Amino acid sequence: MGSVAAQLPALIGVLIGTIGTIVATSVADRNRWKRNQSVRWDDRRLDAYVEFARVVKEIHAVAVRMLTSERPHSRSHRIDREEGLTRLAEADVRHTLAWESLLLLGDASTVSAARTWRDAVWGIERAARELTVGDDPADLLHRANEARDLFYRAARGGLGVSGGSVAQAMMLEGRLDEIRASRASRQTPEAWPPAEATGGGA
């Protein structure tokens, strides 16, 4: 009986050590699982952001090319109206699917920025579909460029992408200002700016 009592502290120590090992292993496994899940969802979120950006840029580019006749200095090839409408309809289907993925996987600030960008590009698309430009076309393009910057800033922040700002709107605004001045001097307010100022090449 005395020998069992003498060994009791050692047995308790072994028991505590075993329990501690089990708990530590369990916590480590749980943390590893959470990290793996986080990486997995970040990958899926990145895919959703990339697809959304790609289809919105496609709509932007097609709409601007449909309005080439409104932009006498454009270097891009004009798209026939019927072809442009067909391509916009196809892009709209992809946009709808990309938007649903974005809603499912995106964080609140990125979804909000995506909505702002999408709405700005819709303004350009409406001008292309109706062949009328109610607002200053340079302002429409600038709003789309600024909204794109906002989306990328939110998406990069949510994904933890470092490396500083990749904003393009300020650079493109300088080109739009030159075009506004040129348009004013020619007294042709209906003229659209050239392709390099539309954000299509940035």
Side-chain angles (χ1 to χ4, degrees):
M1 188 69 178
S3 62
V4 172
Q7 294 176 5
L8 190 58
L11 293 172
I12 291 173
V14 169
L15 181 61
I16 291 173
T18 301
I19 292 172
T21 300
I22 292 171
V23 170
T25 302
S26 176
V27 169
D29 287 345
R30 184 177 294 111
N31 288 338
R32 188 180 306 111
W33 181 84
K34 286 181 178 178
R35 281 194 304 272
N36 289 340
Q37 287 295 102
S38 177
V39 169
R40 176 188 174 197
W41 288 116
D42 278 350
D43 287 346
R44 298 289 298 275
R45 190 174 294 116
L46 174 61
D47 291 342
Y49 292 170
V50 168
E51 178 58 19
F52 175 80
R54 190 194 66 76
V55 74
V56 170
K57 284 297 295 182
E58 180 182 353
I59 293 169
H60 179 127
V62 170
V64 167
R65 288 181 63 189
M66 287 174 69
L67 290 161
T68 298
S69 60
E70 302 291 329
R71 300 178 297 124
H73 300 292
S74 174
R75 297 177 185 174
S76 61
H77 298 291
R78 184 177 184 277
I79 295 179
D80 176 79
R81 177 172 170 76
E82 291 306 314
E83 178 188 352
L85 291 174
T86 298
R87 290 176 64 174
L88 286 175
E90 293 169 351
D92 187 57
V93 173
R94 292 193 297 276
H95 164 267
T96 299
L97 298 175
W99 179 247
E100 294 304 317
S101 294
L102 189 73
L103 289 178
L104 178 64
L105 298 167
D107 59 72
S109 61
T110 304
V111 170
S112 177
R115 184 178 293 109
T116 300
W117 185 21
R118 178 195 66 182
D119 292 348
V121 170
W122 275 351
I124 301 169
E125 183 184 357
R126 278 193 298 273
R129 287 181 180 277
E130 298 166 10
L131 293 179
T132 58
V133 182
D135 296 327
D136 183 334
D139 289 344
L140 287 174
L141 295 169
H142 181 64
R143 281 198 292 272
N145 292 337
E146 282 194 322
R148 178 181 60 169
D149 286 351
L150 179 65
F151 171 76
Y152 281 122
R153 184 163 58 249
R156 285 164 61 89
L159 292 168
V161 177
S162 59
S165 173
V166 295
Q168 300 290 301
M170 287 301 293
M171 178 193 68
L172 296 170
E173 176 64 10
R175 297 179 190 177
L176 291 174
D177 284 341
E178 293 174 7
I179 294 156
R180 286 185 184 105
S182 174
R183 288 173 60 235
S185 68
R186 294 193 314 269
Q187 296 184 345
T188 53
E190 76 281 359
W192 272 65
E196 61 269 20
T198 66

